[in-house]
Amino acid sequence: MTTLDTNLADLLKPLTAGQIHAATRVWMAPLTRSRSKQPGDVPWELNAEYYGQRADPKKGAAVIISEATQVSSQGKGYAFTPGIHSKEQVEGWKLVTKAVHDKGGIILAQLWHVGRISHTDLQPGGGKPVAPSAIRAESKTYTSKDSGLVPTSEPRALETDEIPGVVEQFRQAAQNAKDAGFDGVEIHGANGYLLQQFLRSASNTRTDQYGGSLENRARFCLEVAEAVLTVWEPGKVGYRVSPLGEASDNPQDRPIDTYSYLAAELGKLGLAYIHVVEEFGSATRSDENEPVFAAIRSAFRDAGGHAYVGNGEYTAETAAQRIATDKADAIAFGKPFISNPDLAERFRRDAPLNEWDRDTFYGGGAEGYTTYPPLD
Ligand SMILES: Cc1cc2nc3c(=O)[nH]c(=O)nc-3n(C[C@H](O)[C@H](O)[C@H](O)COP(=O)(O)O)c2cc1C
């Protein structure tokens, strides 16, 4: 066997991350596809078919992380994304989890609150989106099919006494995920949304216990994690970060200090995995940035956390290399899973990959969603 073959075998071997027993190291990254049923942002049969196509744990994703799903109507930032706060949504997600389980797969719900990346048109009663501080993001969102991209609205700062209510939205959503048949949850702490808005000083200028020092800025993130752990055992919970990402007008902020602190605190809680967006948008997995990932990896593992899941522009070769050198325990693939429902099988057979079509990433129907063919 060549070195590459040996490495590929590493990518396809099983992994136990906390209480998640994954058939391979090939996981599916969370992917917003904006195809929930309207009105009500409800998952439906089409979504169940899409996830079911990718759910064979050996040929497709060993673990599927769902598209981001809003924990409340206040947490919504884009038209047509699903929620997990109404009865109808929970019923809709049951179709999805059943389709995945029928294939023997594992699916986790990614719990999402967009904070300031929203618009008054999407908010209950047309109110302002909420955020740690009243600082508007130079960013855009979709409010309807016809709106095109529109600038986000000016947010209002959450009152200190409102924050437990937002934490409770995550706890309730975690409970709803359990009721809907998910196998666990991933807390969305990445990509410029509410948790990251608290963590970074560019978007958090608060003077109460949720702002100022790193410990204070991380407080909300950790309170959310602790609330989720009142519902789920830590071995079934992951947390996603994008330490170098600057999406949604959220510049990075001493990434090694910030994220090794957060990773250690999450590790102490015994979480199943930390999911690190290493490369996306302006962030890259360059040699210069390796110390950031290494710091997160060791802080999380040393404190009692389980797996490190890497993500971002991976191929079978780079992923296998990463696992073989203990730089990651699993790799989450995003765009490759959009166009290749049987991605792991293609890796195994060294078969060519279908290319993805960016025009059908967000919104629409079956085209570019459930229409990508498997090998067989
Ligand atoms: C269409 C699309 C939708 C995405 N939706 C989400 C999402 O809902 N939650 C999230 O954390 N990241 C989301 N991302 C980021 C991906 O999970 C991933 O980090 C990124 O695509 C880089 O990985 P890849 O090169 O394997 O695609 C999205 C990316 C794309 C292209």
Side-chain angles (χ1 to χ4, degrees):
M1 273 214 296
T2 65
T3 317
L4 183 61
D5 291 337
T6 319
N7 288 348
L8 194 58
D10 284 340
L11 183 61
L12 298 176
K13 73 187 182 198
L15 169 71
T16 293
Q19 292 178 44
I20 299 170
H21 302 288
T24 75
R25 314 300 178 99
V26 179
W27 293 24
M28 178 169 157
L31 292 161
T32 290
R33 305 301 308 277
S34 309
R35 283 168 166 88
S36 65
K37 193 171 69 183
Q38 302 304 316
D41 303 330
V42 180
W44 61 302
E45 285 80 0
L46 182 67
N47 308 136
E49 185 185 348
Y50 162 80
Y51 283 108
Q53 288 174 338
R54 287 152 182 79
D56 182 316
K58 288 205 166 124
K59 294 184 171 177
V63 175
I64 294 174
I65 301 153
S66 81
E67 65 207 278
T69 180
Q70 48 255 3
V71 296
S72 62
S73 29
Q74 180 196 71
K76 175 178 173 179
Y78 303 85
F80 310 117
T81 52
I84 191 154
H85 50 90
S86 75
K87 197 166 170 294
E88 293 72 26
Q89 290 161 352
V90 173
E91 291 305 309
W93 280 119
K94 284 183 186 169
L95 302 176
V96 171
T97 58
K98 179 174 187 312
V100 171
H101 292 154
D102 284 351
K103 295 272 184 71
I106 295 175
I107 182 166
L108 316 178
Q110 193 190 42
L111 304 182
W112 190 32
H113 192 306
V114 298
R116 64 181 184 160
I117 308 303
S118 186
H119 191 280
T120 50
D121 285 358
L122 296 171
Q123 289 293 308
K128 289 183 172 186
V130 300
S133 301
I135 304 169
R136 200 183 78 80
E138 284 297 331
S139 184
K140 294 188 171 174
T141 182
Y142 280 95
T143 55
S144 72
K145 194 160 184 266
D146 305 317
S147 69
L149 280 168
V150 296
T152 56
S153 301
E154 169 95 35
R156 70 173 179 84
L158 284 160
E159 300 292 338
T160 308
D161 64 7
E162 282 182 288
I163 292 180
V166 185
V167 173
E168 167 59 20
Q169 293 172 15
F170 277 89
R171 191 207 60 79
Q172 184 63 58
Q175 180 61 55
N176 293 350
K178 194 170 240 187
D179 296 345
F182 281 97
D183 301 296
V185 295
E186 175 174 290
I187 299 165
H188 194 346
N191 299 349
Y193 298 115
L194 185 64
L195 275 69
Q196 190 183 297
Q197 290 160 29
F198 269 92
L199 192 61
R200 295 193 181 178
S201 31
S203 43
N204 181 350
T205 55
R206 300 179 71 91
T207 53
D208 62 3
Q209 67 269 36
Y210 293 96
S213 66
L214 173 55
E215 289 74 9
N216 280 357
R217 281 180 282 120
R219 190 179 309 281
F220 176 72
C221 307
L222 296 169
E223 285 182 358
V224 165
E226 281 162 12
V228 166
L229 296 187
T230 64
V231 177
W232 288 95
E233 292 163 271
K236 296 183 173 177
V237 176
Y239 190 105
R240 191 171 220 220
V241 294
S242 51
L244 302 167
E246 305 204 325
S248 298
D249 188 23
N250 208 212
Q252 56 172 286
D253 193 353
R254 303 180 56 169
I256 292 193
D257 295 349
T258 304
Y259 285 92
S260 46
Y261 172 74
L262 181 67
E265 293 303 307
L266 294 171
K268 283 183 204 164
L269 298 175
L271 295 199
Y273 69 90
I274 191 158
H275 186 177
V276 182
V277 184
E278 298 163 338
E279 183 156 334
F280 189 45
S282 58
T284 57
R285 195 169 32 257
S286 61
D287 289 348
E288 193 191 331
N289 288 331
E290 278 300 338
V292 178
F293 313 133
I296 293 174
R297 223 163 26 236
S298 51
F300 183 69
R301 286 175 176 165
D302 293 352
H306 296 277
Y308 176 104
V309 181
N311 164 257
E313 306 299 330
Y314 274 102
T315 62
E317 287 73 21
T318 56
Q321 203 76 44
R322 209 74 183 162
I323 306 248
T325 52
D326 194 33
K327 292 204 171 72
D329 299 300
I331 299 297
F333 294 85
K335 297 181 292 295
F337 259 119
I338 288 182
S339 49
N340 297 279
D342 53 351
L343 187 65
E345 181 65 10
R346 286 170 191 260
F347 289 165
R348 185 176 286 113
R349 294 201 218 163
D350 196 20
L353 302 188
N354 299 320
E355 291 193 9
W356 52 82
D357 171 16
R358 285 182 190 275
D359 292 345
T360 50
F361 275 5
Y362 303 104
E367 185 58 34
Y369 188 57
T370 51
T371 53
Y372 289 105
L375 285 171
D376 301 320

